[in-house]
Amino acid sequence: MSEWLQCIGCARRFDSSEVRYRCDCGELLSVERDAMPDRAIFDARLGSRRTIDKSGVWRFREAVLDVEESAIVTHPEGSTRLYEREWGVGGRESENDFRAGSDTRHPTPDTRFTVFFKHEGENPTGSFKDRGMTVAMTQAKRLGARAVACASTGNTSASLAAYAAQAGLRAVVFIPAGKVAAGKLAQTLAYGATALHIRGDFDAAMQLVREASDRLGIYLVNSINPFRIEGQKTIVWELLQDLEWRAPDWIVVPAGNLGNTSAFGKALREAFDAGWITKMPRLASIQASGANPFYRSYRDAFAERHRITAETIASAIRIGDPVSHRKAVSAIQLTNGIVEEVTDDELMLAKREIDEMGIGCEPASATTLAGVKKLRASGVMRESEQIVCVLTGNLLKDTEAIMRNVPAERTVEIDASIAAVERALN
Ligand SMILES: [Zn+2]
C-alpha cells in the first residue's frame, strides 16, 4: 500500500518523505493511501502480547503509517478504556447542595441517560496527544530530524517531551507564558524538554514555532503536521472496535485547535469507505464560549473563518485561531455534525459530575458532557441515541482548576481529636 501527502485545497500530491506542512497554495496537507485493510486483522491483534499490537495506534498500523515495524517509536499508547455510565443517577445529596441554583444533579427520570466515555487521559502522558505523537515522532526519526518542536497549551508539550526522550531527539516547546497548567509544564520539563515561555497567547506561540521550524530546520509536530492526525484517528477506530464496530449515533469531542475534530472526520470517512462501519455517526464538536471561533463559523454556515482572542478556564482549548479549521469544517459537513458552545460554569459543573462518577478529567474534556446536556435539552440529541464522549485529558493535568471548583466544606483542617472528627462530619 502506498502513501502520499495531499493538499486538502487543490489536491496536489507530495511524496510522504518530504518535510512539508502546507501546500504551495497555502492549504493543509493530509496523508492519503490507496488501499485499506480488512478490519478483521485489527480484531485478531487484540489477543496479542506484542507491544506493537497492544498499542491502540499501531494495532491499526496499515491505515496509520507505512513504516518498518522496527522504526516505530511507541510507548505503547492508546488502548484506553470505554466507560459506560448513566448520567443523573445516584448523586450524593448531602454533598451536592452547594452552588445553589446551578445544581442539576437531581434530574427527573426523563433527563437521565446513558453515556459512554472514551478516556484518552489514560494514555502514557495523560492525554490523547500521545496517539498523534507516536506517529509524528516515528516520522521525525524516519526523516532524520535531530530536534522536534511544538506550540502548546500544555498537553502537546508533555507528550512531545516524552516521545522525544524515547526517540533520542531534542525537544523544544513554545508555550504561552503563564497560561499553562502547572502539572503539564512540570511534566514537560521532567521529560527533558526545553520550554520557551512566549510573551503572548497560544496563537502567537503557534505563529512563532512555524517560523522557527522553517528557519532552524526543526521538525514541527503540532497538529498542522498531517502525521499527528493519522495517530489521532485511532481514537475513533478504537472506540468503534470497543463497540464491536457498531457505530454510535454521536461522537462528542472538545474543540480547540480542531485537530481532533479533523482527525475524527477523517477516521469516520475512512472507516465508512472501507466498510468497517455501515452507519456514519454524527460529530458534535463542543467549544468553550470564551474560545468559540469554530462555533461562530458554524453559526453562519461556515461562510466566514473567525479569529478571536480566547479566554476560558479550559486552558487546553483556549485557542482563538484554530489551525485545522478547514479540515474540521469538512468533518462536520461529512458527518452531518454540529458545533455547540458551553460556558465555563457549564463545563466546570460537568467536570465535577464526571469527576464524581469516579472517572475524572481535565476541564476541557468536560465540554463534552456539558454539550450533551445542552443538546439533549434542546432535542438535538434524542432519547434513544447512543452517545460517546471523548475525554481528552487526565484529571491530574489541572489540579488548580479542581481546587477552585470543590466546595470548601469538603476539605477541613481539624485538631487531632475524635471530638473534632465528629464535629467535622456532622
Ligand atoms: Zn494546494
Side-chain angles (χ1 to χ4, degrees):
M1 288 179 232
S2 70
E3 269 168 18
W4 60 90
L5 297 171
Q6 187 164 323
C7 173
I8 63 164
C10 71
R12 185 171 161 195
R13 294 185 180 193
F14 301 92
D15 196 282
S16 62
S17 62
E18 192 175 331
V19 179
R20 175 180 271 281
Y21 316 104
R22 282 183 185 275
C23 178
D24 294 341
C25 79
E27 274 300 345
L28 296 176
L29 302 172
S30 166
V31 179
E32 299 295 332
R33 49 187 62 78
D34 58 13
M36 294 287 272
D38 192 283
R39 71 177 198 214
I41 67 168
F42 309 143
D43 290 344
R45 288 171 183 157
L46 287 174
S48 166
R49 290 173 188 276
R50 298 180 63 215
T51 297
I52 195 175
D53 293 335
K54 284 185 176 173
S55 164
V57 174
W58 299 103
R59 190 190 313 139
F60 304 97
R61 52 191 170 270
E62 290 82 358
V64 169
L65 187 69
D66 182 17
V67 63
E68 289 283 321
E69 288 186 17
S70 60
I72 290 173
V73 181
T74 175
H75 261 53
E77 50 290 304
S79 298
T80 56
R81 292 173 193 83
L82 183 70
Y83 298 96
E84 181 178 357
R85 292 290 186 275
E86 197 169 348
W87 180 83
V89 174
R92 285 161 291 175
E93 299 210 17
S94 62
E95 294 187 356
N96 287 312
D97 51 4
F98 51 88
R99 208 195 264 209
S102 70
D103 194 348
T104 58
R105 286 299 297 267
H106 311 296
T108 55
D110 64 339
T111 64
R112 295 179 181 187
F113 55 91
T114 299
V115 58
F116 289 83
F117 294 98
K118 180 69 172 167
H119 206 329
E120 289 299 302
E122 295 178 351
N123 273 288
T125 76
S127 86
F128 75 95
K129 304 284 186 180
D130 294 340
R131 291 202 188 242
M133 206 54 75
T134 180
V135 182
M137 208 59 69
T138 298
Q139 180 69 2
K141 286 272 279 187
R142 214 174 158 203
L143 297 172
R146 307 260 300 278
V148 287
C150 70
S152 172
T153 57
N155 282 330
T156 312
S157 307
S159 183
L160 171 127
Y163 280 83
Q166 189 185 3
L169 302 178
R170 178 165 190 207
V172 186
V173 304
F174 290 59
I175 56 179
K179 301 268 177 60
V180 169
K184 300 177 185 183
L185 178 58
Q187 229 187 333
T188 302
L189 297 172
Y191 294 135
T194 300
L196 301 179
H197 299 253
I198 311 302
R199 297 188 192 105
D201 60 9
F202 170 82
D203 304 294
M206 185 70 227
Q207 187 56 38
L208 193 60
V209 75
R210 274 160 66 172
E211 281 174 40
S213 61
D214 285 346
R215 179 96 50 106
L216 306 174
I218 300 171
Y219 191 60
L220 182 61
V221 294
N222 272 99
S223 57
I224 187 177
N225 184 315
F227 295 97
R228 280 272 309 277
I229 301 294
E230 293 307 285
Q232 285 171 221
K233 287 187 315 191
T234 64
I235 299 171
V236 164
W237 293 346
E238 192 174 273
L239 77 82
L240 292 171
Q241 189 177 36
D242 291 336
L243 296 171
E244 297 177 74
W245 302 103
R246 284 190 290 269
D249 295 290
W250 291 94
I251 298 176
V252 189
V253 60
N257 215 16
L258 303 178
N260 266 341
T261 299
S262 304
F264 288 17
K266 189 167 191 282
L268 289 171
R269 165 168 65 83
E270 292 177 351
F272 190 82
D273 289 350
W276 302 347
I277 51 172
T278 52
K279 181 180 89 178
M280 183 66 90
R282 298 178 71 184
L283 280 181
S285 286
I286 317 295
Q287 295 215 287
S289 52
N292 67 351
F294 192 48
Y295 174 72
R296 292 179 191 210
S297 290
Y298 171 76
R299 237 177 13 195
D300 35 82
F302 298 122
E304 199 186 328
R305 178 171 179 171
H306 291 261
R307 294 175 173 85
I308 65 165
T309 301
E311 190 46 59
T312 166
I313 191 169
S315 57
I317 53 171
R318 190 188 290 145
I319 292 167
D321 183 13
V323 162
S324 297
H325 173 87
R326 179 152 174 184
K327 286 182 175 179
V329 171
S330 303
I332 295 299
Q333 288 170 339
L334 171 82
T335 63
N336 187 26
I338 58 157
V339 186
E340 183 55 277
E341 63 170 356
V342 294
T343 65
D344 279 8
D345 280 350
E346 288 169 334
L347 74 90
M348 287 309 282
L349 177 63
K351 172 179 154 52
R352 211 170 64 210
E353 290 165 350
I354 294 168
D355 291 351
E356 292 179 3
M357 288 175 192
I359 294 174
C361 64
E362 69 165 321
S365 303
T367 55
T368 55
L369 180 60
V372 168
K373 285 159 63 179
K374 209 167 162 179
L375 292 166
R376 288 263 324 188
S378 66
V380 174
M381 289 181 174
R382 290 192 302 272
E383 209 147 303
S384 56
E385 290 183 319
Q386 191 183 35
I387 301 163
V388 181
C389 292
V390 175
L391 304 178
T392 43
N394 188 286
L395 173 88
L396 292 174
K397 285 284 194 173
D398 192 347
T399 52
E400 298 135 70
I402 300 171
M403 297 316 284
R404 281 198 302 268
N405 201 35
V406 293
E409 58 270 30
R410 288 241 304 272
T411 167
V412 187
E413 183 173 326
I414 57 167
D415 291 333
S417 75
I418 196 70
V421 172
E422 279 179 2
R423 265 197 312 277
L425 296 182
N426 278 330

